[in-house]
Amino acid sequence: PEVIGIGIGVPGLVDMAAGMIYNVSNIPAWTNFPIKEELESFFNVPVFIGNDANCFVLGEKFFGHGRGHKNVVGLTLGTGVGAGVIVNDNLHVGNCSMAGEFGGIAHLESDFENYCSGKFFLHKYKMDAYELSKQAAKGDKVALDIFTEYGKHVGSLIQTILYSYGPDAIVIGGSLSKAFPYFENGMLDTLDKFPHKVALETTVIEISDNPHIAVLGAGALTLSAKEEVLNP
């Protein structure tokens, strides 16, 4: 089949229109790198660049739990916190792809990045989230209590997302989403305090179940452009 374009997702700040990467985690050589121009000149097809959270939400919108919803936030919880935002069926990235950078928003003594990513377990309890999840799976009370505490912070983050974008659906992905059964109750405890019950009750919260959804979303960058729904 004909190749209509190449989509690339990167973990960093991206100028989608210019195809410029301003900074990217773990690949310092790509800082301020015009990757779109370089790859288009080599492959002779359109190239589209998005950050990894935007690719995640696009994947969910086209192929996953976001289908059928006009307003979707894809929330990634792992070594950091990221989010991609779909507004009225359009990918909304904002200036320098800053839309959805909820991790930098102040929360308690720091920000959501430090309370809702793996950093929470390392900084507060000197424990690895993956190892802790294995203990939680065995019913260890200490581990379960820590995940409940973590879930309460995630609930606060979701409240912030509800206030910011009022999505129809929030899809949670990232490595920590696998521990959802252990932090779900803590998350729901916090969300139960959300004052706008109708908005909460009509917002679908799902867990991503496709480990390759962000890769599909990178490919969907080309579909977005072709369907003219990409809105940098």
Side-chain angles (χ1 to χ4, degrees), residues 101-158:
E101 291 294 327
F102 295 106
I105 295 176
H107 176 62
L108 300 180
E109 298 177 357
S110 182
D111 54 29
F112 281 118
E113 178 95 357
N114 281 289
Y115 283 94
C116 296
S117 73
K119 295 176 183 178
F120 168 76
F121 304 96
L122 289 173
H123 292 172
K124 185 165 184 179
Y125 293 102
K126 311 301 182 190
M127 301 180 72
D128 176 75
Y130 175 69
E131 294 300 323
L132 194 66
S133 69
K134 291 197 292 187
Q135 295 302 312
K138 297 176 182 177
D140 183 84
K141 186 179 184 305
V142 172
L144 290 170
D145 286 346
I146 292 173
F147 271 111
T148 296
E149 181 184 357
Y150 169 78
K152 291 180 179 180
H153 298 305
V154 174
S156 294
L157 173 55
I158 290 177

Tab-separated table of all heavy atoms in Angstrom, residues 101-158:
chain	number	residue	atom	x	y	z
A	101	GLU	N	0.330	19.463	29.823
A	101	GLU	CA	1.492	19.276	30.707
A	101	GLU	C	1.079	19.483	32.166
A	101	GLU	O	1.562	20.375	32.863
A	101	GLU	CB	2.616	20.232	30.312
A	101	GLU	CG	3.265	19.903	28.982
A	101	GLU	CD	4.016	18.587	29.007
A	101	GLU	OE1	4.585	18.231	30.068
A	101	GLU	OE2	4.025	17.882	27.978
A	102	PHE	N	0.186	18.627	32.626
A	102	PHE	CA	-0.352	18.742	33.982
A	102	PHE	C	0.688	18.427	35.049
A	102	PHE	O	0.536	18.832	36.202
A	102	PHE	CB	-1.546	17.796	34.157
A	102	PHE	CG	-2.722	18.145	33.297
A	102	PHE	CD1	-3.034	17.380	32.184
A	102	PHE	CD2	-3.524	19.236	33.586
A	102	PHE	CE1	-4.123	17.685	31.394
A	102	PHE	CE2	-4.611	19.557	32.796
A	102	PHE	CZ	-4.915	18.779	31.691
A	103	GLY	N	1.715	17.684	34.685
A	103	GLY	CA	2.711	17.308	35.677
A	103	GLY	C	3.380	18.489	36.340
A	103	GLY	O	3.804	18.405	37.492
A	104	GLY	N	3.471	19.616	35.645
A	104	GLY	CA	4.132	20.797	36.197
A	104	GLY	C	3.239	21.668	37.056
A	104	GLY	O	3.704	22.664	37.622
A	105	ILE	N	1.959	21.314	37.166
A	105	ILE	CA	1.030	22.107	37.981
A	105	ILE	C	1.289	21.840	39.459
A	105	ILE	O	1.465	20.691	39.885
A	105	ILE	CB	-0.427	21.778	37.617
A	105	ILE	CG1	-0.723	22.212	36.177
A	105	ILE	CG2	-1.400	22.443	38.582
A	105	ILE	CD1	-2.105	21.848	35.691
A	106	ALA	N	1.297	22.903	40.243
A	106	ALA	CA	1.583	22.783	41.675
A	106	ALA	C	0.562	21.880	42.373
A	106	ALA	O	-0.646	21.964	42.128
A	106	ALA	CB	1.592	24.161	42.326
A	107	HIS	N	1.073	21.026	43.248
A	107	HIS	CA	0.221	20.151	44.056
A	107	HIS	C	0.919	19.916	45.385
A	107	HIS	O	2.065	19.451	45.420
A	107	HIS	CB	-0.022	18.825	43.333
A	107	HIS	CG	-0.818	17.834	44.131
A	107	HIS	ND1	-2.112	18.073	44.552
A	107	HIS	CD2	-0.499	16.581	44.590
A	107	HIS	CE1	-2.557	17.024	45.215
A	107	HIS	NE2	-1.598	16.112	45.262
A	108	LEU	N	0.237	20.282	46.471
A	108	LEU	CA	0.785	20.166	47.808
A	108	LEU	C	2.164	20.817	47.890
A	108	LEU	O	2.306	21.996	47.602
A	108	LEU	CB	0.813	18.699	48.241
A	108	LEU	CG	-0.565	18.005	48.274
A	108	LEU	CD1	-0.426	16.558	48.707
A	108	LEU	CD2	-1.538	18.750	49.163
A	109	GLU	N	3.208	20.081	48.245
A	109	GLU	CA	4.526	20.683	48.442
A	109	GLU	C	5.368	20.717	47.181
A	109	GLU	O	6.501	21.205	47.202
A	109	GLU	CB	5.281	19.917	49.537
A	109	GLU	CG	4.595	19.968	50.904
A	109	GLU	CD	5.318	19.149	51.944
A	109	GLU	OE1	6.321	18.491	51.591
A	109	GLU	OE2	4.895	19.170	53.116
A	110	SER	N	4.842	20.196	46.078
A	110	SER	CA	5.634	20.142	44.855
A	110	SER	C	4.725	20.314	43.640
A	110	SER	O	4.124	21.360	43.461
A	110	SER	CB	6.410	18.815	44.791
A	110	SER	OG	7.220	18.763	43.640
A	111	ASP	N	4.630	19.271	42.814
A	111	ASP	CA	3.755	19.313	41.649
A	111	ASP	C	3.244	17.899	41.380
A	111	ASP	O	3.647	16.930	42.028
A	111	ASP	CB	4.485	19.887	40.425
A	111	ASP	CG	5.791	19.162	40.120
A	111	ASP	OD1	5.899	17.957	40.443
A	111	ASP	OD2	6.716	19.794	39.577
A	112	PHE	N	2.302	17.795	40.428
A	112	PHE	CA	1.714	16.491	40.154
A	112	PHE	C	2.732	15.476	39.643
A	112	PHE	O	2.563	14.271	39.844
A	112	PHE	CB	0.564	16.637	39.152
A	112	PHE	CG	-0.712	17.142	39.763
A	112	PHE	CD1	-1.266	18.348	39.360
A	112	PHE	CD2	-1.361	16.413	40.739
A	112	PHE	CE1	-2.452	18.813	39.919
A	112	PHE	CE2	-2.550	16.862	41.316
A	112	PHE	CZ	-3.098	18.068	40.899
A	113	GLU	N	3.779	15.950	39.003
A	113	GLU	CA	4.822	15.038	38.521
A	113	GLU	C	5.409	14.232	39.672
A	113	GLU	O	5.676	13.034	39.548
A	113	GLU	CB	5.929	15.833	37.825
A	113	GLU	CG	7.083	14.998	37.330
A	113	GLU	CD	6.957	14.601	35.865
A	113	GLU	OE1	5.937	14.921	35.243
A	113	GLU	OE2	7.881	13.955	35.378
A	114	ASN	N	5.598	14.893	40.815
A	114	ASN	CA	6.236	14.233	41.945
A	114	ASN	C	5.275	13.426	42.804
A	114	ASN	O	5.716	12.640	43.643
A	114	ASN	CB	6.954	15.267	42.814
A	114	ASN	CG	8.292	15.671	42.225
A	114	ASN	OD1	9.237	14.889	42.228
A	114	ASN	ND2	8.376	16.874	41.683
A	115	TYR	N	3.976	13.610	42.591
A	115	TYR	CA	3.000	12.863	43.381
A	115	TYR	C	2.279	11.785	42.577
A	115	TYR	O	1.699	10.866	43.164
A	115	TYR	CB	1.960	13.818	43.979
A	115	TYR	CG	2.450	14.590	45.175
A	115	TYR	CD1	2.986	15.861	45.042
A	115	TYR	CD2	2.382	14.047	46.460
A	115	TYR	CE1	3.438	16.583	46.141
A	115	TYR	CE2	2.826	14.751	47.567
A	115	TYR	CZ	3.358	16.024	47.401
A	115	TYR	OH	3.802	16.734	48.498
A	116	CYS	N	2.268	11.894	41.257
A	116	CYS	CA	1.466	10.977	40.442
A	116	CYS	C	2.289	10.116	39.498
A	116	CYS	O	1.722	9.356	38.708
A	116	CYS	CB	0.417	11.768	39.640
A	116	CYS	SG	-0.798	12.601	40.675
A	117	SER	N	3.594	10.212	39.557
A	117	SER	CA	4.461	9.351	38.751
A	117	SER	C	5.208	8.400	39.678
A	117	SER	O	4.978	8.383	40.893
A	117	SER	CB	5.465	10.194	37.954
A	117	SER	OG	6.456	10.726	38.817
A	118	GLY	N	6.119	7.632	39.110
A	118	GLY	CA	6.920	6.733	39.921
A	118	GLY	C	7.791	7.457	40.931
A	118	GLY	O	8.267	6.843	41.897
A	119	LYS	N	7.969	8.766	40.725
A	119	LYS	CA	8.780	9.548	41.661
A	119	LYS	C	8.163	9.559	43.058
A	119	LYS	O	8.891	9.669	44.058
A	119	LYS	CB	8.938	10.979	41.146
A	119	LYS	CG	9.715	11.086	39.847
A	119	LYS	CD	9.749	12.517	39.337
A	119	LYS	CE	10.480	12.604	37.998
A	119	LYS	NZ	10.493	13.975	37.452
A	120	PHE	N	6.843	9.457	43.134
A	120	PHE	CA	6.167	9.461	44.433
A	120	PHE	C	6.694	8.326	45.315
A	120	PHE	O	7.020	8.525	46.486
A	120	PHE	CB	4.659	9.322	44.232
A	120	PHE	CG	3.897	9.041	45.496
A	120	PHE	CD1	3.664	10.055	46.416
A	120	PHE	CD2	3.419	7.765	45.771
A	120	PHE	CE1	2.957	9.798	47.588
A	120	PHE	CE2	2.713	7.500	46.928
A	120	PHE	CZ	2.482	8.518	47.841
A	121	PHE	N	6.788	7.137	44.752
A	121	PHE	CA	7.212	5.968	45.522
A	121	PHE	C	8.698	6.038	45.868
A	121	PHE	O	9.101	5.678	46.969
A	121	PHE	CB	6.923	4.695	44.721
A	121	PHE	CG	5.484	4.576	44.303
A	121	PHE	CD1	5.085	4.990	43.036
A	121	PHE	CD2	4.533	4.087	45.176
A	121	PHE	CE1	3.767	4.891	42.645
A	121	PHE	CE2	3.198	3.991	44.794
A	121	PHE	CZ	2.813	4.399	43.527
A	122	LEU	N	9.494	6.546	44.931
A	122	LEU	CA	10.930	6.632	45.168
A	122	LEU	C	11.271	7.702	46.191
A	122	LEU	O	12.078	7.480	47.105
A	122	LEU	CB	11.653	6.918	43.850
A	122	LEU	CG	11.694	5.776	42.839
A	122	LEU	CD1	12.293	6.263	41.522
A	122	LEU	CD2	12.497	4.593	43.381
A	123	HIS	N	10.655	8.877	46.038
A	123	HIS	CA	11.013	10.004	46.904
A	123	HIS	C	10.460	9.849	48.317
A	123	HIS	O	11.148	10.155	49.299
A	123	HIS	CB	10.523	11.312	46.296
A	123	HIS	CG	11.242	11.682	45.036
A	123	HIS	ND1	10.855	12.740	44.236
A	123	HIS	CD2	12.323	11.131	44.419
A	123	HIS	CE1	11.663	12.821	43.191
A	123	HIS	NE2	12.555	11.854	43.282
A	124	LYS	N	9.213	9.380	48.425
A	124	LYS	CA	8.599	9.322	49.753
A	124	LYS	C	8.899	8.027	50.492
A	124	LYS	O	9.096	8.023	51.711
A	124	LYS	CB	7.091	9.514	49.651
A	124	LYS	CG	6.421	9.592	51.019
A	124	LYS	CD	5.004	10.136	50.968
A	124	LYS	CE	4.444	10.283	52.372
A	124	LYS	NZ	3.066	10.842	52.360
A	125	TYR	N	8.949	6.919	49.750
A	125	TYR	CA	9.081	5.624	50.414
A	125	TYR	C	10.362	4.872	50.029
A	125	TYR	O	10.580	3.750	50.508
A	125	TYR	CB	7.857	4.750	50.105
A	125	TYR	CG	6.594	5.304	50.740
A	125	TYR	CD1	5.658	6.002	49.970
A	125	TYR	CD2	6.346	5.145	52.093
A	125	TYR	CE1	4.506	6.507	50.547
A	125	TYR	CE2	5.192	5.652	52.677
A	125	TYR	CZ	4.282	6.331	51.895
A	125	TYR	OH	3.138	6.843	52.476
A	126	LYS	N	11.180	5.489	49.154
A	126	LYS	CA	12.424	4.842	48.705
A	126	LYS	C	12.151	3.444	48.141
A	126	LYS	O	12.919	2.503	48.339
A	126	LYS	CB	13.432	4.730	49.867
A	126	LYS	CG	13.635	6.006	50.644
A	126	LYS	CD	14.138	7.138	49.775
A	126	LYS	CE	14.367	8.399	50.603
A	126	LYS	NZ	14.636	9.586	49.768
A	127	MET	N	11.049	3.332	47.427
A	127	MET	CA	10.642	2.046	46.884
A	127	MET	C	10.328	2.179	45.405
A	127	MET	O	9.862	3.221	44.938
A	127	MET	CB	9.421	1.493	47.633
A	127	MET	CG	9.648	1.300	49.126
A	127	MET	SD	8.198	0.650	49.984
A	127	MET	CE	8.193	-1.040	49.388
A	128	ASP	N	10.573	1.123	44.654
A	128	ASP	CA	10.256	1.074	43.238
A	128	ASP	C	8.788	0.684	43.065
A	128	ASP	O	8.311	-0.262	43.709
A	128	ASP	CB	11.161	0.052	42.549
A	128	ASP	CG	10.810	-0.123	41.094
A	128	ASP	OD1	11.139	0.765	40.290
A	128	ASP	OD2	10.192	-1.156	40.768
A	129	ALA	N	8.079	1.382	42.205
A	129	ALA	CA	6.649	1.143	42.034
A	129	ALA	C	6.369	-0.281	41.557
A	129	ALA	O	5.389	-0.912	41.987
A	129	ALA	CB	6.060	2.161	41.054
A	130	TYR	N	7.203	-0.781	40.670
A	130	TYR	CA	6.980	-2.126	40.149
A	130	TYR	C	7.128	-3.176	41.258
A	130	TYR	O	6.292	-4.074	41.386
A	130	TYR	CB	7.948	-2.421	39.008
A	130	TYR	CG	7.858	-3.834	38.487
A	130	TYR	CD1	6.723	-4.252	37.783
A	130	TYR	CD2	8.890	-4.745	38.692
A	130	TYR	CE1	6.631	-5.562	37.312
A	130	TYR	CE2	8.800	-6.045	38.226
A	130	TYR	CZ	7.670	-6.452	37.534
A	130	TYR	OH	7.571	-7.738	37.084
A	131	GLU	N	8.177	-3.046	42.056
A	131	GLU	CA	8.382	-3.998	43.154
A	131	GLU	C	7.245	-3.883	44.166
A	131	GLU	O	6.772	-4.891	44.716
A	131	GLU	CB	9.731	-3.750	43.829
A	131	GLU	CG	10.924	-4.045	42.942
A	131	GLU	CD	10.959	-5.498	42.482
A	131	GLU	OE1	10.581	-6.388	43.283
A	131	GLU	OE2	11.349	-5.747	41.326
A	132	LEU	N	6.791	-2.653	44.395
A	132	LEU	CA	5.692	-2.443	45.340
A	132	LEU	C	4.400	-3.075	44.818
A	132	LEU	O	3.612	-3.633	45.586
A	132	LEU	CB	5.494	-0.950	45.575
A	132	LEU	CG	4.629	-0.550	46.780
A	132	LEU	CD1	5.334	-0.953	48.075
A	132	LEU	CD2	4.384	0.956	46.774
A	133	SER	N	4.199	-2.996	43.501
A	133	SER	CA	2.983	-3.586	42.930
A	133	SER	C	2.976	-5.106	43.096
A	133	SER	O	1.907	-5.711	43.257
A	133	SER	CB	2.859	-3.211	41.453
A	133	SER	OG	3.846	-3.846	40.661
A	134	LYS	N	4.152	-5.719	43.052
A	134	LYS	CA	4.226	-7.166	43.257
A	134	LYS	C	3.837	-7.527	44.691
A	134	LYS	O	3.188	-8.554	44.924
A	134	LYS	CB	5.629	-7.676	42.922
A	134	LYS	CG	5.960	-7.595	41.440
A	134	LYS	CD	7.153	-8.449	41.064
A	134	LYS	CE	8.440	-7.931	41.644
A	134	LYS	NZ	9.629	-8.673	41.142
A	135	GLN	N	4.212	-6.654	45.628
A	135	GLN	CA	3.799	-6.879	47.016
A	135	GLN	C	2.293	-6.659	47.179
A	135	GLN	O	1.610	-7.401	47.893
A	135	GLN	CB	4.575	-5.949	47.946
A	135	GLN	CG	6.067	-6.211	48.003
A	135	GLN	CD	6.384	-7.640	48.434
A	135	GLN	OE1	5.837	-8.142	49.412
A	135	GLN	NE2	7.263	-8.297	47.681
A	136	ALA	N	1.782	-5.634	46.498
A	136	ALA	CA	0.344	-5.369	46.568
A	136	ALA	C	-0.450	-6.540	45.998
A	136	ALA	O	-1.527	-6.887	46.507
A	136	ALA	CB	0.012	-4.085	45.818
A	137	ALA	N	0.066	-7.162	44.945
A	137	ALA	CA	-0.611	-8.307	44.325
A	137	ALA	C	-0.715	-9.481	45.294
A	137	ALA	O	-1.621	-10.314	45.167
A	137	ALA	CB	0.126	-8.730	43.059
A	138	LYS	N	0.196	-9.539	46.271
A	138	LYS	CA	0.160	-10.604	47.283
A	138	LYS	C	-0.708	-10.229	48.475
A	138	LYS	O	-0.811	-10.996	49.438
A	138	LYS	CB	1.584	-10.903	47.764
A	138	LYS	CG	2.510	-11.426	46.683
A	138	LYS	CD	3.926	-11.596	47.218
A	138	LYS	CE	4.885	-12.066	46.131
A	138	LYS	NZ	6.279	-12.170	46.630
A	139	GLY	N	-1.303	-9.013	48.419
A	139	GLY	CA	-2.168	-8.580	49.505
A	139	GLY	C	-1.457	-7.891	50.639
A	139	GLY	O	-2.038	-7.694	51.722
A	140	ASP	N	-0.190	-7.502	50.428
A	140	ASP	CA	0.574	-6.824	51.483
A	140	ASP	C	-0.093	-5.506	51.851
A	140	ASP	O	-0.303	-4.640	50.996
A	140	ASP	CB	2.003	-6.559	51.003
A	140	ASP	CG	2.852	-5.920	52.066
A	140	ASP	OD1	3.400	-6.643	52.909
A	140	ASP	OD2	2.956	-4.673	52.060
A	141	LYS	N	-0.441	-5.348	53.132
A	141	LYS	CA	-1.207	-4.183	53.563
A	141	LYS	C	-0.433	-2.888	53.406
A	141	LYS	O	-1.003	-1.865	53.003
A	141	LYS	CB	-1.660	-4.338	55.022
A	141	LYS	CG	-2.584	-3.217	55.488
A	141	LYS	CD	-3.033	-3.423	56.909
A	141	LYS	CE	-4.043	-2.352	57.322
A	141	LYS	NZ	-3.561	-0.975	57.136
A	142	VAL	N	0.838	-2.892	53.719
A	142	VAL	CA	1.645	-1.674	53.592
A	142	VAL	C	1.662	-1.210	52.142
A	142	VAL	O	1.454	-0.026	51.837
A	142	VAL	CB	3.078	-1.907	54.108
A	142	VAL	CG1	3.958	-0.702	53.790
A	142	VAL	CG2	3.059	-2.174	55.607
A	143	ALA	N	1.890	-2.146	51.237
A	143	ALA	CA	1.921	-1.802	49.814
A	143	ALA	C	0.570	-1.273	49.344
A	143	ALA	O	0.493	-0.285	48.612
A	143	ALA	CB	2.328	-3.023	48.992
A	144	LEU	N	-0.498	-1.924	49.773
A	144	LEU	CA	-1.840	-1.494	49.369
A	144	LEU	C	-2.156	-0.104	49.919
A	144	LEU	O	-2.781	0.722	49.236
A	144	LEU	CB	-2.880	-2.508	49.841
A	144	LEU	CG	-2.850	-3.855	49.107
A	144	LEU	CD1	-3.745	-4.865	49.823
A	144	LEU	CD2	-3.291	-3.690	47.658
A	145	ASP	N	-1.725	0.167	51.151
A	145	ASP	CA	-1.964	1.491	51.741
A	145	ASP	C	-1.202	2.574	50.985
A	145	ASP	O	-1.707	3.683	50.786
A	145	ASP	CB	-1.549	1.497	53.211
A	145	ASP	CG	-2.530	0.749	54.097
A	145	ASP	OD1	-3.658	0.455	53.633
A	145	ASP	OD2	-2.166	0.454	55.264
A	146	ILE	N	0.018	2.261	50.550
A	146	ILE	CA	0.809	3.233	49.786
A	146	ILE	C	0.132	3.517	48.448
A	146	ILE	O	0.036	4.671	48.021
A	146	ILE	CB	2.249	2.724	49.588
A	146	ILE	CG1	2.992	2.687	50.929
A	146	ILE	CG2	2.994	3.614	48.590
A	146	ILE	CD1	4.355	2.042	50.862
A	147	PHE	N	-0.361	2.481	47.801
A	147	PHE	CA	-1.056	2.695	46.526
A	147	PHE	C	-2.362	3.466	46.723
A	147	PHE	O	-2.748	4.263	45.858
A	147	PHE	CB	-1.318	1.368	45.820
A	147	PHE	CG	-0.201	0.943	44.909
A	147	PHE	CD1	0.587	-0.149	45.222
A	147	PHE	CD2	0.073	1.649	43.743
A	147	PHE	CE1	1.633	-0.534	44.387
A	147	PHE	CE2	1.113	1.277	42.902
A	147	PHE	CZ	1.891	0.182	43.228
A	148	THR	N	-3.035	3.245	47.832
A	148	THR	CA	-4.243	4.019	48.113
A	148	THR	C	-3.906	5.497	48.251
A	148	THR	O	-4.614	6.364	47.725
A	148	THR	CB	-4.927	3.512	49.395
A	148	THR	OG1	-5.358	2.161	49.190
A	148	THR	CG2	-6.138	4.371	49.746
A	149	GLU	N	-2.816	5.783	48.949
A	149	GLU	CA	-2.359	7.172	49.087
A	149	GLU	C	-2.025	7.763	47.720
A	149	GLU	O	-2.399	8.897	47.400
A	149	GLU	CB	-1.139	7.220	50.004
A	149	GLU	CG	-0.605	8.626	50.225
A	149	GLU	CD	0.672	8.640	51.052
A	149	GLU	OE1	1.116	7.547	51.498
A	149	GLU	OE2	1.241	9.733	51.241
A	150	TYR	N	-1.317	6.979	46.914
A	150	TYR	CA	-0.986	7.415	45.552
A	150	TYR	C	-2.255	7.708	44.762
A	150	TYR	O	-2.353	8.721	44.054
A	150	TYR	CB	-0.156	6.330	44.865
A	150	TYR	CG	0.034	6.545	43.383
A	150	TYR	CD1	0.958	7.463	42.896
A	150	TYR	CD2	-0.726	5.829	42.456
A	150	TYR	CE1	1.123	7.660	41.531
A	150	TYR	CE2	-0.559	6.014	41.096
A	150	TYR	CZ	0.358	6.936	40.637
A	150	TYR	OH	0.520	7.135	39.286
A	151	GLY	N	-3.241	6.841	44.868
A	151	GLY	CA	-4.487	7.019	44.141
A	151	GLY	C	-5.206	8.312	44.499
A	151	GLY	O	-5.854	8.932	43.634
A	152	LYS	N	-5.083	8.735	45.732
A	152	LYS	CA	-5.713	10.000	46.134
A	152	LYS	C	-5.087	11.174	45.394
A	152	LYS	O	-5.786	12.116	45.007
A	152	LYS	CB	-5.604	10.177	47.644
A	152	LYS	CG	-6.473	9.183	48.418
A	152	LYS	CD	-6.358	9.362	49.930
A	152	LYS	CE	-7.262	8.357	50.653
A	152	LYS	NZ	-7.186	8.496	52.130
A	153	HIS	N	-3.789	11.122	45.166
A	153	HIS	CA	-3.131	12.180	44.388
A	153	HIS	C	-3.578	12.126	42.928
A	153	HIS	O	-3.804	13.168	42.302
A	153	HIS	CB	-1.614	12.030	44.487
A	153	HIS	CG	-1.079	12.178	45.874
A	153	HIS	ND1	-1.329	13.287	46.652
A	153	HIS	CD2	-0.301	11.348	46.622
A	153	HIS	CE1	-0.740	13.147	47.826
A	153	HIS	NE2	-0.114	11.982	47.832
A	154	VAL	N	-3.719	10.914	42.390
A	154	VAL	CA	-4.209	10.782	41.018
A	154	VAL	C	-5.630	11.338	40.909
A	154	VAL	O	-5.981	11.986	39.929
A	154	VAL	CB	-4.158	9.309	40.558
A	154	VAL	CG1	-4.816	9.151	39.184
A	154	VAL	CG2	-2.718	8.810	40.506
A	155	GLY	N	-6.431	11.114	41.935
A	155	GLY	CA	-7.774	11.686	41.960
A	155	GLY	C	-7.749	13.201	41.910
A	155	GLY	O	-8.559	13.829	41.206
A	156	SER	N	-6.815	13.801	42.624
A	156	SER	CA	-6.678	15.267	42.580
A	156	SER	C	-6.271	15.732	41.189
A	156	SER	O	-6.743	16.765	40.704
A	156	SER	CB	-5.635	15.729	43.607
A	156	SER	OG	-6.075	15.469	44.925
A	157	LEU	N	-5.394	14.965	40.543
A	157	LEU	CA	-4.981	15.301	39.178
A	157	LEU	C	-6.174	15.216	38.221
A	157	LEU	O	-6.358	16.096	37.371
A	157	LEU	CB	-3.872	14.350	38.724
A	157	LEU	CG	-3.417	14.441	37.265
A	157	LEU	CD1	-2.999	15.850	36.894
A	157	LEU	CD2	-2.290	13.446	37.015
A	158	ILE	N	-6.991	14.200	38.369
A	158	ILE	CA	-8.163	14.059	37.499
A	158	ILE	C	-9.146	15.198	37.747
A	158	ILE	O	-9.770	15.707	36.813
A	158	ILE	CB	-8.811	12.683	37.692
A	158	ILE	CG1	-7.883	11.605	37.109
A	158	ILE	CG2	-10.182	12.620	37.019
A	158	ILE	CD1	-8.370	10.196	37.309
